[in-house]
Amino acid sequence: DRLATGLGGDEIAIDVDRVEAAAFEFERRVASARDAAARCTERARFAGELQRLEGRSRELTACVQSLRRAGPTASTGRLDVFLRGAK
């Protein structure tokens, strides 16, 4: 909701940094889940969910890269759309 209040460039940069840190953490957790599933006797049961998580991780990483390339005003809109789940 902070995005709707008209943040400046420095605040947006901090928020993008936070999203980037979250993206790396999410990617790490997905990799951990994939490693755990590889050792699981029922790994086929988790394949669909792992694919979904891996896809979402790629989307989040692509979003962060897009935010880095965009200026602060464009970043605000893109970040808001991504966080609210719109495509």
Side-chain angles (χ1 to χ4, degrees):
D1 290 331
R2 289 177 22 148
L3 295 173
T5 63
L7 300 173
D10 290 339
E11 289 94 353
I12 294 298
I14 291 169
D15 287 343
V16 171
D17 289 344
R18 288 179 180 148
V19 172
E20 185 173 32
F24 285 129
E25 178 62 17
F26 185 59
E27 184 177 5
R28 187 189 69 76
R29 289 179 184 224
V30 170
S32 294
R34 185 177 45 249
D35 290 346
R39 292 186 297 272
C40 182
T41 58
E42 298 180 37
R43 70 178 139 250
R45 183 175 142 206
F46 303 108
E49 183 64 12
L50 284 172
Q51 286 179 337
R52 187 188 71 79
L53 291 171
E54 288 169 346
R56 195 64 175 152
S57 177
R58 283 190 300 274
E59 288 175 9
L60 184 55
T61 299
C63 176
V64 169
Q65 291 170 353
S66 174
L67 291 171
R68 289 285 181 212
R69 287 189 301 268
T73 303
S75 292
T76 301
R78 290 178 183 181
L79 185 56
D80 191 44
V81 166
F82 185 81
L83 293 175
R84 294 183 193 282
K87 292 197 175 198

Coordinates of all heavy atoms in Angstrom, one line a residue:
D1 N 0.8 -1.2 0.0 CA 0.0 0.0 0.0 C 0.9 1.3 0.0 O 0.4 2.3 -0.3 CB -0.9 0.0 1.2 CG -2.0 -1.0 1.0 OD1 -2.4 -1.3 -0.1 OD2 -2.5 -1.5 2.1
R2 N 2.1 1.1 0.4 CA 3.0 2.3 0.3 C 3.2 2.8 -1.1 O 3.4 4.0 -1.3 CB 4.4 1.9 0.9 CG 4.4 1.7 2.3 CD 5.8 1.2 2.8 NE 6.8 1.7 1.8 CZ 8.1 2.0 2.2 NH1 8.5 1.9 3.4 NH2 8.9 2.3 1.3
L3 N 3.0 2.0 -2.1 CA 3.2 2.4 -3.5 C 2.2 3.5 -3.8 O 2.4 4.3 -4.7 CB 3.1 1.2 -4.4 CG 4.2 0.2 -4.2 CD1 3.9 -1.0 -5.1 CD2 5.5 0.8 -4.5
A4 N 1.0 3.4 -3.3 CA -0.1 4.3 -3.6 C 0.1 5.7 -3.0 O -0.5 6.7 -3.4 CB -1.4 3.8 -3.2
T5 N 1.1 5.9 -2.1 CA 1.3 7.1 -1.4 C 2.2 8.1 -2.1 O 2.5 9.2 -1.7 CB 1.8 6.9 0.0 OG1 3.1 6.3 0.0 CG2 0.8 6.1 0.8
G6 N 2.8 7.6 -3.3 CA 3.7 8.5 -4.0 C 5.1 8.5 -3.5 O 5.5 9.6 -3.0
L7 N 5.7 7.4 -3.5 CA 7.1 7.3 -3.0 C 8.1 8.0 -3.9 O 7.9 8.0 -5.1 CB 7.5 5.9 -2.7 CG 6.6 5.1 -1.8 CD1 7.0 3.7 -1.8 CD2 6.7 5.7 -0.4
G8 N 9.2 8.4 -3.4 CA 10.3 9.0 -4.2 C 11.2 7.9 -4.7 O 11.0 6.7 -4.4
G9 N 12.1 8.2 -5.6 CA 13.1 7.3 -6.2 C 13.8 6.5 -5.2 O 14.1 5.3 -5.4
D10 N 14.3 7.1 -4.1 CA 15.1 6.4 -3.1 C 14.2 5.3 -2.4 O 14.7 4.2 -2.2 CB 15.7 7.3 -2.0 CG 16.8 8.2 -2.6 OD1 17.3 7.8 -3.7 OD2 17.0 9.3 -2.0
E11 N 13.0 5.6 -2.1 CA 12.1 4.7 -1.4 C 11.8 3.5 -2.3 O 11.8 2.4 -1.9 CB 10.8 5.3 -0.9 CG 11.0 6.3 0.2 CD 11.2 7.7 -0.2 OE1 11.3 8.0 -1.4 OE2 11.2 8.6 0.7
I12 N 11.6 3.8 -3.6 CA 11.3 2.8 -4.6 C 12.5 1.8 -4.7 O 12.4 0.6 -4.8 CB 10.9 3.4 -6.0 CG1 9.6 4.1 -5.9 CG2 10.9 2.3 -7.0 CD1 8.4 3.2 -5.5
A13 N 13.7 2.4 -4.8 CA 14.9 1.6 -4.9 C 15.1 0.7 -3.7 O 15.4 -0.5 -3.8 CB 16.2 2.5 -5.0
I14 N 14.7 1.1 -2.5 CA 14.8 0.3 -1.3 C 13.7 -0.8 -1.4 O 14.0 -2.0 -1.1 CB 14.5 1.1 0.0 CG1 15.7 2.0 0.2 CG2 14.3 0.2 1.2 CD1 15.5 3.1 1.3
D15 N 12.5 -0.5 -1.9 CA 11.5 -1.6 -2.1 C 11.9 -2.6 -3.1 O 11.7 -3.8 -3.0 CB 10.2 -0.9 -2.4 CG 9.5 -0.3 -1.2 OD1 9.9 -0.5 -0.1 OD2 8.6 0.5 -1.5
V16 N 12.6 -2.1 -4.2 CA 13.1 -3.1 -5.2 C 14.2 -4.0 -4.6 O 14.2 -5.2 -4.9 CB 13.5 -2.3 -6.5 CG1 14.3 -3.2 -7.4 CG2 12.4 -1.6 -7.2
D17 N 15.0 -3.4 -3.8 CA 16.0 -4.2 -3.1 C 15.4 -5.3 -2.3 O 15.9 -6.4 -2.2 CB 16.9 -3.3 -2.2 CG 17.9 -2.4 -3.0 OD1 18.1 -2.7 -4.2 OD2 18.4 -1.5 -2.4
R18 N 14.3 -4.9 -1.6 CA 13.6 -5.9 -0.7 C 13.0 -7.0 -1.6 O 13.0 -8.2 -1.2 CB 12.6 -5.2 0.1 CG 13.1 -4.4 1.2 CD 12.0 -3.7 2.0 NE 12.6 -2.9 3.0 CZ 12.1 -1.8 3.5 NH1 11.0 -1.3 3.0 NH2 12.7 -1.1 4.5
V19 N 12.4 -6.6 -2.7 CA 11.8 -7.6 -3.6 C 12.9 -8.5 -4.1 O 12.7 -9.8 -4.2 CB 11.0 -7.0 -4.7 CG1 10.6 -8.0 -5.8 CG2 9.8 -6.2 -4.2
E20 N 14.1 -8.0 -4.5 CA 15.2 -8.8 -5.0 C 15.7 -9.8 -3.9 O 15.9 -10.9 -4.2 CB 16.3 -7.9 -5.4 CG 17.4 -8.6 -6.1 CD 18.5 -7.7 -6.7 OE1 18.7 -6.6 -6.1 OE2 19.1 -8.1 -7.7
A21 N 15.8 -9.3 -2.7 CA 16.2 -10.2 -1.6 C 15.2 -11.3 -1.4 O 15.5 -12.5 -1.2 CB 16.4 -9.4 -0.3
A22 N 13.9 -11.0 -1.5 CA 12.8 -12.0 -1.4 C 12.9 -13.0 -2.5 O 12.7 -14.2 -2.3 CB 11.5 -11.3 -1.3
A23 N 13.2 -12.5 -3.7 CA 13.3 -13.4 -4.9 C 14.5 -14.4 -4.7 O 14.3 -15.6 -5.0 CB 13.5 -12.5 -6.2
F24 N 15.6 -13.9 -4.2 CA 16.7 -14.8 -4.0 C 16.3 -15.9 -2.9 O 16.7 -17.0 -3.0 CB 18.0 -14.1 -3.6 CG 18.6 -13.4 -4.7 CD1 19.0 -12.1 -4.6 CD2 19.0 -14.1 -5.9 CE1 19.6 -11.4 -5.7 CE2 19.6 -13.4 -6.9 CZ 19.9 -12.1 -6.8
E25 N 15.7 -15.4 -1.9 CA 15.3 -16.3 -0.8 C 14.3 -17.4 -1.3 O 14.4 -18.5 -1.0 CB 14.7 -15.6 0.4 CG 14.2 -16.4 1.5 CD 15.3 -17.3 2.2 OE1 16.5 -17.0 2.0 OE2 14.9 -18.2 2.9
F26 N 13.3 -16.9 -2.1 CA 12.3 -17.8 -2.7 C 13.0 -18.8 -3.6 O 12.7 -20.0 -3.5 CB 11.3 -17.0 -3.4 CG 10.1 -17.8 -3.9 CD1 9.3 -18.6 -3.1 CD2 9.8 -17.9 -5.3 CE1 8.3 -19.3 -3.6 CE2 8.8 -18.6 -5.8 CZ 8.0 -19.4 -4.9
E27 N 13.9 -18.4 -4.4 CA 14.7 -19.3 -5.3 C 15.4 -20.3 -4.5 O 15.5 -21.5 -4.8 CB 15.6 -18.5 -6.2 CG 16.4 -19.3 -7.2 CD 17.3 -18.4 -8.1 OE1 17.4 -17.2 -7.8 OE2 17.8 -19.0 -9.0
R28 N 16.0 -19.9 -3.4 CA 16.8 -20.8 -2.5 C 15.8 -21.9 -1.9 O 16.1 -23.1 -1.9 CB 17.5 -20.0 -1.4 CG 18.4 -20.9 -0.5 CD 18.9 -20.1 0.7 NE 17.8 -19.9 1.6 CZ 17.3 -20.8 2.5 NH1 17.8 -22.0 2.5 NH2 16.4 -20.4 3.3
R29 N 14.7 -21.4 -1.5 CA 13.7 -22.4 -0.9 C 13.1 -23.3 -1.9 O 12.9 -24.5 -1.6 CB 12.6 -21.6 -0.2 CG 13.1 -20.9 1.1 CD 12.0 -20.2 1.8 NE 12.5 -19.4 2.9 CZ 11.9 -19.4 4.1 NH1 10.8 -20.0 4.3 NH2 12.5 -18.7 5.1
V30 N 12.9 -22.9 -3.1 CA 12.4 -23.8 -4.2 C 13.5 -24.8 -4.5 O 13.2 -26.0 -4.6 CB 12.0 -23.0 -5.4 CG1 11.8 -23.9 -6.6 CG2 10.8 -22.1 -5.2
A31 N 14.8 -24.4 -4.5 CA 15.9 -25.3 -4.8 C 15.9 -26.4 -3.6 O 16.2 -27.6 -3.9 CB 17.2 -24.6 -4.9
S32 N 15.7 -25.9 -2.4 CA 15.7 -26.8 -1.3 C 14.6 -27.9 -1.4 O 14.8 -29.0 -1.1 CB 15.6 -26.1 0.1 OG 16.7 -25.3 0.3
A33 N 13.4 -27.4 -1.8 CA 12.3 -28.3 -1.9 C 12.5 -29.3 -3.0 O 12.2 -30.5 -2.9 CB 11.0 -27.5 -2.2
R34 N 13.2 -28.8 -4.1 CA 13.5 -29.7 -5.2 C 14.5 -30.8 -4.8 O 14.3 -32.0 -5.1 CB 14.0 -28.9 -6.4 CG 14.3 -29.7 -7.7 CD 14.8 -28.9 -8.8 NE 15.8 -27.9 -8.5 CZ 15.7 -26.6 -8.5 NH1 14.5 -26.0 -8.8 NH2 16.7 -25.8 -8.2
D35 N 15.5 -30.4 -4.0 CA 16.5 -31.3 -3.5 C 15.8 -32.3 -2.6 O 16.1 -33.5 -2.6 CB 17.6 -30.6 -2.8 CG 18.5 -29.8 -3.7 OD1 18.4 -30.0 -4.9 OD2 19.2 -28.9 -3.2
A36 N 14.9 -31.9 -1.7 CA 14.2 -32.8 -0.8 C 13.3 -33.7 -1.6 O 13.3 -34.9 -1.2 CB 13.4 -32.0 0.2
A37 N 12.6 -33.2 -2.6 CA 11.8 -34.1 -3.4 C 12.5 -35.2 -4.1 O 12.0 -36.3 -4.3 CB 10.9 -33.2 -4.3
A38 N 13.8 -34.9 -4.5 CA 14.6 -35.8 -5.2 C 14.9 -37.0 -4.4 O 15.1 -38.1 -4.9 CB 15.9 -35.2 -5.7
R39 N 14.9 -36.8 -3.1 CA 15.2 -37.9 -2.2 C 13.9 -38.6 -1.6 O 14.0 -39.6 -0.9 CB 16.0 -37.4 -1.0 CG 17.4 -37.0 -1.4 CD 18.3 -36.6 -0.2 NE 17.8 -35.5 0.5 CZ 18.1 -34.2 0.2 NH1 18.9 -33.9 -0.8 NH2 17.6 -33.2 1.0
C40 N 12.8 -38.1 -2.0 CA 11.5 -38.6 -1.5 C 11.1 -39.8 -2.4 O 11.2 -39.8 -3.6 CB 10.5 -37.5 -1.6 SG 8.9 -38.0 -1.0
T41 N 10.5 -40.8 -1.8 CA 10.0 -42.0 -2.5 C 8.8 -41.6 -3.3 O 8.5 -42.3 -4.3 CB 9.7 -43.1 -1.5 OG1 8.7 -42.7 -0.6 CG2 10.9 -43.6 -0.8
E42 N 8.0 -40.6 -3.0 CA 6.8 -40.2 -3.7 C 7.1 -38.9 -4.5 O 6.2 -38.0 -4.6 CB 5.7 -40.0 -2.8 CG 5.3 -41.2 -2.0 CD 4.2 -40.9 -1.0 OE1 3.3 -40.2 -1.4 OE2 4.2 -41.5 0.1
R43 N 8.3 -38.7 -5.1 CA 8.6 -37.5 -5.8 C 7.7 -37.1 -6.9 O 7.5 -35.9 -7.2 CB 10.1 -37.5 -6.2 CG 10.4 -38.4 -7.4 CD 11.8 -38.3 -7.8 NE 12.3 -39.7 -8.1 CZ 13.2 -40.4 -7.3 NH1 13.7 -39.8 -6.3 NH2 13.5 -41.6 -7.7
A44 N 7.1 -38.1 -7.6 CA 6.2 -37.8 -8.7 C 5.0 -37.0 -8.1 O 4.4 -36.2 -8.9 CB 5.7 -39.0 -9.4
R45 N 4.6 -37.2 -6.9 CA 3.5 -36.6 -6.3 C 3.7 -35.0 -6.2 O 2.8 -34.3 -6.2 CB 3.2 -37.2 -4.9 CG 2.1 -36.6 -4.2 CD 1.8 -37.4 -2.9 NE 1.5 -36.4 -1.9 CZ 1.6 -36.6 -0.6 NH1 2.2 -37.7 -0.1 NH2 1.2 -35.7 0.3
F46 N 4.9 -34.6 -6.1 CA 5.3 -33.2 -5.9 C 5.7 -32.5 -7.2 O 6.0 -31.3 -7.2 CB 6.4 -33.1 -4.8 CG 6.0 -33.7 -3.5 CD1 6.6 -34.9 -3.1 CD2 5.1 -33.1 -2.7 CE1 6.3 -35.5 -1.9 CE2 4.7 -33.7 -1.5 CZ 5.3 -34.9 -1.1
A47 N 5.8 -33.3 -8.3 CA 6.4 -32.7 -9.5 C 5.6 -31.5 -10.0 O 6.2 -30.5 -10.4 CB 6.4 -33.8 -10.6
G48 N 4.3 -31.6 -10.0 CA 3.5 -30.4 -10.5 C 3.7 -29.2 -9.6 O 3.8 -28.1 -10.1
E49 N 3.7 -29.4 -8.3 CA 3.8 -28.2 -7.4 C 5.2 -27.6 -7.5 O 5.4 -26.4 -7.5 CB 3.6 -28.7 -6.0 CG 3.6 -27.5 -5.0 CD 2.6 -26.4 -5.2 OE1 1.6 -26.6 -5.9 OE2 2.7 -25.4 -4.6
L50 N 6.2 -28.5 -7.7 CA 7.6 -28.0 -7.9 C 7.7 -27.2 -9.2 O 8.4 -26.1 -9.2 CB 8.6 -29.1 -7.9 CG 8.9 -29.7 -6.5 CD1 9.8 -30.9 -6.6 CD2 9.6 -28.6 -5.6
Q51 N 7.1 -27.7 -10.2 CA 7.1 -26.9 -11.5 C 6.4 -25.6 -11.3 O 6.9 -24.6 -11.9 CB 6.4 -27.7 -12.6 CG 7.2 -28.9 -13.1 CD 6.5 -29.7 -14.2 OE1 5.3 -29.6 -14.3 NE2 7.3 -30.4 -15.0
R52 N 5.3 -25.5 -10.6 CA 4.6 -24.3 -10.4 C 5.5 -23.3 -9.6 O 5.6 -22.1 -9.9 CB 3.3 -24.5 -9.6 CG 2.4 -23.3 -9.5 CD 1.3 -23.5 -8.5 NE 1.7 -23.6 -7.2 CZ 2.0 -22.6 -6.3 NH1 1.9 -21.4 -6.8 NH2 2.3 -22.8 -5.1
L53 N 6.1 -23.8 -8.5 CA 7.0 -22.9 -7.7 C 8.2 -22.5 -8.5 O 8.6 -21.3 -8.4 CB 7.5 -23.7 -6.5 CG 6.4 -24.0 -5.4 CD1 6.9 -24.9 -4.4 CD2 5.9 -22.7 -4.8
E54 N 8.8 -23.3 -9.3 CA 9.9 -22.9 -10.2 C 9.5 -21.9 -11.2 O 10.2 -20.9 -11.4 CB 10.5 -24.1 -10.9 CG 11.3 -25.1 -9.9 CD 11.7 -26.4 -10.5 OE1 11.1 -26.8 -11.6 OE2 12.5 -27.1 -9.9
G55 N 8.3 -22.0 -11.7 CA 7.8 -21.0 -12.7 C 7.6 -19.7 -12.0 O 8.0 -18.6 -12.5
R56 N 7.0 -19.7 -10.8 CA 6.8 -18.5 -10.0 C 8.1 -17.8 -9.7 O 8.2 -16.6 -9.7 CB 6.0 -18.8 -8.8 CG 5.4 -17.6 -8.2 CD 4.4 -16.9 -9.1 NE 3.8 -15.8 -8.3 CZ 3.3 -14.7 -8.9 NH1 3.3 -14.5 -10.1 NH2 2.8 -13.7 -8.1
S57 N 9.1 -18.6 -9.3 CA 10.4 -18.1 -9.0 C 11.0 -17.4 -10.2 O 11.6 -16.3 -10.1 CB 11.3 -19.2 -8.5 OG 12.6 -18.7 -8.3
R58 N 10.9 -18.0 -11.4 CA 11.4 -17.4 -12.6 C 10.7 -16.0 -12.9 O 11.3 -15.1 -13.3 CB 11.3 -18.3 -13.8 CG 12.3 -19.4 -13.9 CD 12.3 -20.2 -15.2 NE 11.0 -20.8 -15.4 CZ 10.7 -22.0 -15.0 NH1 11.5 -22.7 -14.3 NH2 9.5 -22.5 -15.2
E59 N 9.4 -16.0 -12.7 CA 8.6 -14.8 -12.9 C 9.1 -13.7 -11.9 O 9.2 -12.5 -12.3 CB 7.1 -15.1 -12.6 CG 6.4 -15.9 -13.7 CD 5.0 -16.2 -13.3 OE1 4.5 -15.6 -12.3 OE2 4.4 -17.0 -14.0
L60 N 9.3 -14.0 -10.7 CA 9.7 -13.1 -9.7 C 11.1 -12.5 -10.1 O 11.4 -11.3 -10.0 CB 9.8 -13.7 -8.3 CG 10.1 -12.8 -7.2 CD1 9.2 -11.5 -7.1 CD2 10.0 -13.5 -5.8
T61 N 12.0 -13.4 -10.5 CA 13.4 -13.0 -10.9 C 13.3 -12.1 -12.1 O 14.0 -11.0 -12.2 CB 14.2 -14.2 -11.2 OG1 14.4 -15.0 -10.0 CG2 15.6 -13.8 -11.7
A62 N 12.4 -12.4 -13.1 CA 12.2 -11.6 -14.3 C 11.6 -10.2 -13.9 O 12.0 -9.2 -14.5 CB 11.4 -12.3 -15.3
C63 N 10.7 -10.2 -12.9 CA 10.1 -9.0 -12.5 C 11.2 -8.1 -11.9 O 11.3 -6.9 -12.2 CB 9.0 -9.2 -11.5 SG 8.3 -7.8 -10.7
V64 N 12.1 -8.6 -11.1 CA 13.1 -7.8 -10.4 C 14.1 -7.3 -11.5 O 14.4 -6.1 -11.4 CB 13.9 -8.7 -9.4 CG1 15.2 -8.0 -9.0 CG2 13.1 -9.0 -8.2
Q65 N 14.4 -8.0 -12.5 CA 15.3 -7.6 -13.6 C 14.6 -6.4 -14.3 O 15.2 -5.4 -14.7 CB 15.6 -8.7 -14.5 CG 16.6 -9.7 -13.9 CD 16.8 -10.9 -14.7 OE1 16.1 -11.1 -15.7 NE2 17.7 -11.8 -14.3
S66 N 13.3 -6.5 -14.5 CA 12.5 -5.5 -15.2 C 12.5 -4.2 -14.4 O 12.6 -3.1 -14.9 CB 11.1 -6.0 -15.5 OG 10.3 -5.0 -16.0
L67 N 12.3 -4.4 -13.1 CA 12.3 -3.2 -12.2 C 13.6 -2.5 -12.2 O 13.7 -1.3 -12.1 CB 11.9 -3.7 -10.7 CG 10.5 -4.2 -10.5 CD1 10.4 -4.8 -9.1 CD2 9.5 -3.1 -10.7
R68 N 14.7 -3.3 -12.2 CA 16.0 -2.7 -12.2 C 16.3 -1.8 -13.5 O 17.0 -0.8 -13.5 CB 17.1 -3.8 -12.1 CG 17.2 -4.4 -10.8 CD 17.9 -3.5 -9.8 NE 17.9 -4.2 -8.5 CZ 17.9 -3.5 -7.4 NH1 17.7 -2.2 -7.4 NH2 18.0 -4.1 -6.2
R69 N 15.7 -2.3 -14.6 CA 15.9 -1.6 -15.9 C 15.0 -0.4 -16.0 O 15.3 0.6 -16.7 CB 15.6 -2.5 -17.1 CG 16.7 -3.6 -17.3 CD 16.5 -4.3 -18.6 NE 15.2 -5.0 -18.7 CZ 15.0 -6.3 -18.3 NH1 16.0 -7.0 -17.9 NH2 13.8 -6.8 -18.4
A70 N 13.9 -0.4 -15.3 CA 12.9 0.7 -15.4 C 13.3 1.9 -14.4 O 14.0 1.7 -13.5 CB 11.5 0.2 -15.0
G71 N 12.8 3.0 -14.7 CA 13.0 4.1 -13.8 C 12.1 4.0 -12.6 O 11.2 3.2 -12.6
P72 N 12.2 4.9 -11.6 CA 11.4 4.8 -10.4 C 9.9 4.9 -10.6 O 9.2 4.1 -10.0 CB 11.9 6.0 -9.6 CG 13.2 6.3 -10.1 CD 13.2 5.9 -11.5
T73 N 9.4 5.7 -11.5 CA 8.0 5.8 -11.8 C 7.5 4.6 -12.4 O 6.4 4.0 -12.0 CB 7.7 7.0 -12.7 OG1 8.2 8.2 -12.1 CG2 6.2 7.2 -12.9
A74 N 8.2 4.0 -13.4 CA 7.8 2.8 -14.0 C 7.9 1.6 -13.0 O 7.0 0.7 -13.0 CB 8.6 2.5 -15.2
S75 N 8.9 1.6 -12.2 CA 9.0 0.6 -11.2 C 7.9 0.5 -10.2 O 7.4 -0.5 -9.8 CB 10.3 0.8 -10.4 OG 11.5 0.6 -11.2
T76 N 7.4 1.7 -9.8 CA 6.2 1.7 -8.9 C 5.0 1.0 -9.5 O 4.5 0.1 -8.8 CB 5.8 3.2 -8.6 OG1 6.9 3.9 -8.1 CG2 4.6 3.3 -7.7
G77 N 4.7 1.2 -10.7 CA 3.6 0.6 -11.4 C 3.8 -0.9 -11.5 O 2.9 -1.7 -11.2
R78 N 5.0 -1.3 -12.0 CA 5.3 -2.7 -12.2 C 5.3 -3.5 -10.9 O 4.8 -4.6 -10.9 CB 6.6 -2.8 -12.9 CG 6.6 -2.4 -14.4 CD 7.9 -2.5 -15.0 NE 7.9 -2.0 -16.4 CZ 8.9 -1.9 -17.2 NH1 10.1 -2.4 -16.8 NH2 8.8 -1.5 -18.4
L79 N 5.9 -2.9 -9.9 CA 6.0 -3.6 -8.6 C 4.6 -3.7 -8.0 O 4.2 -4.8 -7.5 CB 6.8 -2.8 -7.6 CG 7.1 -3.4 -6.3 CD1 7.8 -4.7 -6.4 CD2 8.0 -2.4 -5.5
D80 N 3.7 -2.7 -8.1 CA 2.4 -2.8 -7.7 C 1.6 -3.9 -8.4 O 0.9 -4.7 -7.7 CB 1.7 -1.4 -7.8 CG 0.3 -1.4 -7.1 OD1 0.3 -1.8 -6.0 OD2 -0.6 -0.9 -7.7
V81 N 1.7 -4.0 -9.7 CA 1.0 -5.0 -10.5 C 1.5 -6.4 -10.1 O 0.7 -7.3 -9.9 CB 1.2 -4.8 -12.0 CG1 0.8 -6.0 -12.8 CG2 0.4 -3.5 -12.4
F82 N 2.8 -6.6 -9.9 CA 3.3 -7.9 -9.6 C 2.8 -8.3 -8.2 O 2.4 -9.4 -8.0 CB 4.8 -7.9 -9.7 CG 5.4 -9.3 -9.4 CD1 5.4 -10.2 -10.5 CD2 5.8 -9.7 -8.2 CE1 5.8 -11.5 -10.3 CE2 6.2 -11.0 -8.0 CZ 6.2 -11.9 -9.0
L83 N 2.9 -7.4 -7.2 CA 2.6 -7.8 -5.9 C 1.1 -8.1 -5.7 O 0.7 -8.9 -4.9 CB 3.0 -6.7 -4.9 CG 4.6 -6.5 -4.8 CD1 4.9 -5.3 -3.9 CD2 5.2 -7.7 -4.2
R84 N 0.3 -7.4 -6.5 CA -1.1 -7.7 -6.4 C -1.6 -8.9 -7.2 O -2.7 -9.2 -7.2 CB -1.9 -6.4 -6.8 CG -1.7 -5.3 -5.8 CD -2.5 -4.1 -6.2 NE -2.1 -2.9 -5.4 CZ -2.4 -2.7 -4.2 NH1 -3.1 -3.5 -3.5 NH2 -1.9 -1.6 -3.6
G85 N -0.6 -9.5 -8.0 CA -0.9 -10.7 -8.7 C -1.5 -10.5 -10.1 O -1.9 -11.4 -10.7
A86 N -1.6 -9.3 -10.6 CA -2.2 -9.0 -11.9 C -1.1 -9.4 -12.9 O 0.0 -9.3 -12.7 CB -2.7 -7.6 -12.0
K87 N -1.6 -9.7 -14.1 CA -0.7 -10.0 -15.2 C -1.0 -9.2 -16.4 O -2.1 -8.7 -16.7 CB -0.7 -11.4 -15.6 CG -0.1 -12.3 -14.4 CD 0.3 -13.6 -14.9 CE 0.9 -14.3 -13.8 NZ 1.7 -15.5 -14.1

